[in-house]
Amino acid sequence: PEIPWTPVAKPLSESRVALLTTAGISMKGDPPFDMEYEREHPTRGDSSWRRLRSDATSDTIEANHLHIDTGYIERDLNVALPLDRVRELVSEGVVGALADFHYSIMGYQGNNSSTLESQSAPEIAAAMRSEEVDLALLAPV
């Protein structure tokens, strides 16, 4: 099928940027991704999504993913959600602003990707539009 693509509307130096990670990260206190479901159905992952605060750190998140070594994320969040790197680009004037919220999905979807495509992705896009995000950067893990 045709890939939906939106041309960049303004320069990066004037853009508000949000990150989207596939690491299955949630804020502590928020519902974690459902790894038990995945254990019971090994060809399907949790297709839901989580909103992450811009002030997230390795101490304030949980990494819920069966297919990656989450220890790296727990030691340095930038491995999966490079907030510090984007902050540096903002301070250098390369990026206009860092969004207040960022998003996480579980990258392993197996044969469950239709829910991610039909429900989660449109919901994330709507949330980003309401938060006036200009560009989303995918941080695949």
Side-chain angles (χ1 to χ4, degrees):
E2 185 177 326
I3 297 172
W5 186 258
T6 302
V8 176
K10 59 179 155 179
L12 182 58
S13 62
E14 298 173 15
S15 297
R16 176 184 291 260
V17 173
L19 298 170
L20 172 65
T21 181
T22 62
I25 296 172
S26 59
M27 299 299 300
K28 285 185 178 173
D30 288 349
F33 284 88
D34 188 352
M35 294 189 299
E36 191 55 40
Y37 177 82
E38 187 176 338
R39 284 184 186 96
E40 294 171 6
H41 305 88
T43 61
R44 304 181 90 161
D46 183 342
S47 60
S48 63
W49 58 280
R50 304 292 181 276
R51 179 178 277 134
L52 307 170
R53 294 189 319 264
S54 193
D55 65 352
T57 67
S58 293
D59 293 331
T60 62
I61 60 95
E62 293 179 347
N64 317 112
H65 207 302
L66 296 177
H67 299 279
I68 60 174
D69 180 351
T70 58
Y72 293 104
I73 299 166
E74 293 161 1
R75 289 188 295 276
D76 182 2
L77 181 59
N78 289 287
V79 169
L81 190 72
L83 292 168
D84 290 337
R85 302 298 73 84
V86 177
R87 279 190 197 94
E88 290 169 1
L89 294 171
V90 169
S91 70
E92 294 169 5
V94 175
V95 170
L98 183 63
D100 294 332
F101 295 100
H102 307 277
Y103 298 87
S104 180
I105 59 172
M106 185 174 286
Y108 178 78
Q109 292 298 309
N111 61 7
N112 197 33
S113 64
S114 63
T115 304
L116 180 66
E117 292 172 21
S118 65
Q119 184 175 344
S120 295
E123 291 173 357
I124 292 168
M128 286 185 184
R129 277 193 297 276
S130 73
E131 295 161 5
E132 299 181 351
V133 169
D134 299 303
L135 294 172
L137 299 178
L138 177 62
V141 182

